[in-house]
Amino acid sequence: MTSGLYLSPVKYGENMTIFRSIGPEQCKLWGDEFCERWKIKRPGLFKNLDFHQVPCAVCRREKRSTTLLTPARNICPSGWLKEYYGYLMTQQRGSARSQHICVDADANGIPGSNTTRARQGPFIQPVAYKCDEPSCPQNLESSDNKAKALTCVVCTI
């Protein structure tokens, strides 16, 4: 190959806590014994996707011609069918233009892909929304003045 162009796998960035129901902070409060028991019973609650490669999926639904991705929602408009909901994500910090994607709330990473070389990008990160004005929509309000990850939903008709 002489062009010097390579396709790199896309990875989740650091601190992907939006996919984790129970994190280190809760384990400190509840105790290690409690968390260890729950890690065995429900490992998905402790999911850590940091630096894992993002698996790719293309979905097709028979007899449905239109797909709608709606940011900042997790329900579909009346008459539409929800395929999945999750978080709006895009390329991690950079000046290059990037597309937004809706990553399933029950996301997975490719097992074993978070090796020592995993800290080399490209990475995706959640799209954040911060609104501290009185006119902010209620479902996007941030009472603690911190940015929140935007949800999204993928619907078909």
Side-chain angles (χ1 to χ4, degrees):
M1 184 167 159
T2 58
S3 71
L5 299 174
Y6 299 95
L7 179 63
S8 297
V10 175
K11 299 170 187 161
Y12 295 105
E14 193 171 13
N15 296 321
M16 291 287 119
T17 57
I18 58 173
F19 299 111
R20 190 181 310 150
S21 299
I22 298 176
E25 304 81 28
Q26 288 91 351
C27 286
K28 285 179 188 174
L29 289 171
W30 300 336
D32 290 337
E33 186 179 318
F34 176 85
C35 282
E36 289 306 316
R37 265 188 276 136
W38 277 98
K39 280 181 185 178
I40 293 166
K41 289 181 183 180
R42 305 263 319 268
L45 296 174
F46 298 84
K47 191 182 304 186
N48 183 351
L49 297 179
D50 294 5
F51 303 114
H52 278 82
Q53 289 178 10
V54 179
C56 185
V58 176
C59 303
R60 184 179 144 210
R61 286 294 209 167
E62 294 288 329
K63 300 180 184 176
R64 297 196 194 145
S65 60
T66 305
T67 302
L68 174 69
L69 185 157
T70 307
R73 306 225 23 190
N74 58 8
I75 57 171
C76 294
S78 179
W80 290 75
L81 300 165
K82 179 167 47 174
E83 299 300 334
Y84 67 92
Y85 74 95
Y87 298 97
L88 198 62
M89 299 185 87
T90 192
Q91 178 181 336
Q92 190 168 8
R93 297 176 214 91
S95 57
R97 188 173 179 183
S98 175
Q99 285 189 322
H100 290 69
I101 58 173
C102 187
V103 176
D104 195 323
D106 191 25
N108 288 306
I110 296 176
S113 63
N114 64 335
T115 62
T116 54
R117 292 183 40 184
R119 294 180 186 261
Q120 299 169 355
F123 299 109
I124 60 172
Q125 69 177 8
V127 173
Y129 179 88
K130 181 178 178 182
C131 185
D132 51 7
E133 300 293 323
S135 60
C136 291
Q138 281 188 339
N139 63 333
L140 295 177
E141 256 178 31
S142 180
S143 60
D144 56 5
N145 204 24
K146 291 183 181 175
K148 295 172 74 173
L150 276 179
T151 58
C152 55
V153 63
V154 174
C155 311
T156 57
I157 193 167

